[in-house]
Amino acid sequence: MLIIGSHVGYKKDSGLVGSVKEALSYDANTFMFYTGAPQNTIRSSIDLENVKEAYKLMQDNGIDKNNVIVHAPYIINLANGDESKFNFSCNFLSEELKRVNTLGMKYLVLHPGSHVGQGVDIGISNIIKALNKVLSNDESDVMILLETMAGKGSELGKTFEELKQIIDGIKKKERIGICLDTCHLNDAGYDLNNFNEVLDSFDKIIGIDKIKCIHINDSKNSLGSHKDRHENVGKGTIGLDNLINIINNSKLKDVPKILETPYIDGKAPYKEEIALIRSKI
Ligand code: FE
Ligand code: FE
Ligand code: ZN
């Protein structure tokens, strides 16, 4: 069965119930949310009654909690070795893992980090150090999904080799998975016209079984542009056929697909995009 949804809001007042209702309004059977604003680390406490009500709503409407994804805020940068920034990022990630666990979800998507001029190898070793530190102090089974990045600025995780290098350094490997992002793959230089080859290469380097989420986005920019600007489904350089081909891949059948495409005239495009995708499956 196609597991598809989108990024949805998570607000202080409506909490997880609000997120589920928004997902249902798009005819989605999963969703992804940030536990607060994506660009800051202000987080309010979780109302367990609200969470209970959200689970009832999910159950009644065929949303399996194991397919729901949480995204960590962009501001966490585990690759920056500056001591106070490094500690801030580690502490926030620890708290975020606790929140995800309290909310009852299984997956937390994380941008691996940007080396901010310190170089790829130092950046990667900082990420490894941070993840080992955070995971050694966390008893939950929440899995951190490292996202494939576009390679904008000094972003790490723009190649499968870099992601593999990170995973190799992790002690609790069972706690690390991967989130593919189609816009990022394109912008990083992976040609999605040949998705089977891209996936084969991923499988050889990391292993398909590590893929636990796929962000479905078209791209405003060309192959290898390192830009990271998402476009609506079928409106960009990747194109509808390639996105459908990825969504339809039998090896990725059970992996939740999440839209992070831009709003159109201030309105979420997800209901229409989900309907479009369903019509092509
Ligand atoms: Fe992301
Ligand atoms: Fe993404
Ligand atoms: Zn992006």
Side-chain angles (χ1 to χ4, degrees), residues 71 111 147 215 260:
H71 198 310
H111 295 178
E147 183 165 351
H215 290 166
E260 300 175 301

Side-chain angles (χ1 to χ4, degrees), residues 7-9 11 17-26 263 268 270:
H7 158 76
V8 299
K11 290 176 194 78
V17 170
S19 308
V20 176
K21 283 183 179 164
E22 186 181 342
L24 294 173
S25 78
Y26 304 145
Y263 275 40
Y270 306 125

Side-chain angles (χ1 to χ4, degrees), residues 147-151 155 157-160 163 178-192 195 198-199 201-202 206 211 213-219 221-228 230 237-238 243 246 252:
E147 183 165 351
T148 61
M149 302 309 290
E155 270 175 0
K158 60 191 177 294
T159 64
F160 301 155
L163 292 164
I178 296 287
C179 171
L180 298 181
D181 183 307
T182 55
C183 168
H184 299 176
L185 286 173
N186 173 80
D187 290 15
Y190 291 102
D191 187 355
L192 302 183
F195 182 65
V198 172
L199 195 61
S201 147
F202 182 93
I206 296 177
I211 303 173
C213 177
I214 306 180
H215 290 166
I216 301 291
N217 304 304
D218 217 320
S219 173
N221 293 100
S222 56
L223 181 68
S225 61
H226 303 297
K227 284 275 178 36
D228 189 7
H230 301 185
T237 53
I238 299 171
L243 292 174
I246 294 165
L252 304 171

Side-chain angles (χ1 to χ4, degrees), residues 16-17 20 31 33 48-66 68 100-106:
L16 192 60
V17 170
V20 176
F31 59 96
F33 65 103
L48 290 174
E49 277 306 307
N50 176 287
V51 173
K52 231 171 107 182
E53 195 187 327
Y55 274 95
K56 173 88 173 67
L57 200 58
M58 282 160 63
Q59 215 169 25
D60 289 348
N61 290 279
I63 297 180
D64 181 343
K65 78 177 180 81
N66 293 326
V68 175
V100 175
N101 192 45
T102 303
L103 286 161
M105 275 84 193
K106 224 165 81 176

Side-chain angles (χ1 to χ4, degrees), residues 124-181:
I124 287 179
S125 85
N126 288 336
I127 295 170
I128 291 169
K129 199 168 103 189
L131 288 172
N132 279 330
K133 179 174 151 179
V134 168
L135 290 174
S136 74
N137 293 315
D138 185 88
E139 293 308 316
S140 75
D141 57 4
V142 175
M143 203 171 187
I144 294 175
L145 307 184
L146 302 172
E147 183 165 351
T148 61
M149 302 309 290
K152 190 175 70 179
S154 62
E155 270 175 0
L156 297 166
K158 60 191 177 294
T159 64
F160 301 155
E161 286 81 1
E162 285 181 1
L163 292 164
K164 161 76 172 161
Q165 211 181 318
I166 297 169
I167 294 171
D168 278 347
I170 304 298
K171 293 195 186 91
K172 294 186 178 174
K173 288 192 175 50
E174 71 284 1
R175 300 284 306 274
I176 302 289
I178 296 287
C179 171
L180 298 181
D181 183 307

